[in-house]
Amino acid sequence: MRSSRGFTLIELLTTITVLAIVMSFAAPGFTELIRSNRAQSQNSAIAAAFNLARSEAVKRGRVVSVVAPAAGTWALGWTVGVDGNNDNDFADTGELLIRAFPALTGSGLALVGKSYTTSGTTISRNSSANVAVIRFDAQGRALASDGARIAGGAGRVFEFSMGSNYCSLGRDIFVNHLGRVSIQRKVCQ
């Protein structure tokens, strides 16, 4: 009797077929995992920019701004810097660009800044106001675009979404009047 080493063609085709079936079930879950990780990393970058601006404002004892390009189009990226005259650029004498963040990557992404107020446990968003800049003072408190302090019970919310089909990946990044940053899941209908 002759001993053989290796696999027969039938065994190899059977193994490849089983592997293909298993992969067809795993691939959609893997795609969702990648999409979820992308959303998480982009939300973390947004929150990091606000935390960087706040810490730099305290460290430097000066107002530090986070500015969106093109009048509030946050998805195109944002910059953090010292903006001495509140003109939303960092090119004038005595101003300093601390860091530029790249645009969000992926299709269907949106990031919109709005103001909000609270009454008890209810949050009311100002849907008509597009926030293009948020500033932090030397104490780390959030300031409005004109440099005025944001009143207690109010703040800014940045709504991140990955398109209407992926509501569960959407997040709201809140910056309260004290300058604290928090991220919450979007409520899906």
Side-chain angles (χ1 to χ4, degrees):
M1 190 161 145
R2 188 170 66 138
S3 75
S4 65
R5 297 170 76 81
F7 300 104
T8 66
L9 183 58
I10 300 293
E11 290 171 331
L12 187 59
L13 289 175
T14 303
T15 303
I16 291 173
T17 302
V18 170
L19 185 62
I21 291 170
V22 169
M23 290 301 291
S24 70
F25 288 114
F30 188 65
T31 302
E32 192 62 30
L33 176 68
I34 291 171
R35 188 175 289 117
S36 175
N37 285 343
R38 181 179 295 141
Q40 181 62 38
S41 68
Q42 297 199 18
N43 282 305
S44 295
I46 298 160
F50 298 142
N51 286 323
L52 172 66
R54 185 178 189 217
S55 68
E56 287 289 329
V58 172
K59 179 176 95 174
R60 296 172 187 277
R62 296 184 65 188
V63 172
V64 174
S65 304
V66 182
V67 180
T73 310
W74 290 92
L76 297 178
W78 50 92
T79 53
V80 176
V82 176
D83 185 13
N85 59 2
N86 294 344
D87 66 352
N88 299 339
D89 72 27
F90 308 108
D92 300 322
T93 303
E95 295 182 343
L96 172 68
L97 173 65
I98 296 170
R99 182 162 177 209
F101 288 80
L104 299 176
T105 57
S107 61
L109 298 179
L111 180 63
V112 178
K114 297 179 179 179
S115 60
Y116 74 88
T117 57
T118 58
S119 176
T121 58
T122 305
I123 296 175
S124 301
R125 299 170 194 232
N126 183 349
S127 60
S128 64
N130 188 12
V131 174
V133 61
I134 184 166
R135 304 181 199 291
F136 296 90
D137 68 11
Q139 289 78 38
R141 292 179 294 223
L143 303 174
S145 59
D146 62 359
R149 284 200 177 131
I150 295 174
R156 302 295 180 255
V157 60
F158 296 83
E159 299 172 342
F160 173 83
S161 68
M162 292 190 73
S164 59
N165 294 334
Y166 303 104
C167 179
S168 64
L169 298 176
R171 299 289 184 268
D172 290 332
I173 299 108
F174 288 91
V175 180
N176 70 11
H177 68 284
L178 297 174
R180 293 193 180 125
V181 179
S182 63
I183 300 175
Q184 296 178 4
R185 283 187 185 269
K186 255 192 196 310
V187 177
C188 299
Q189 305 299 335

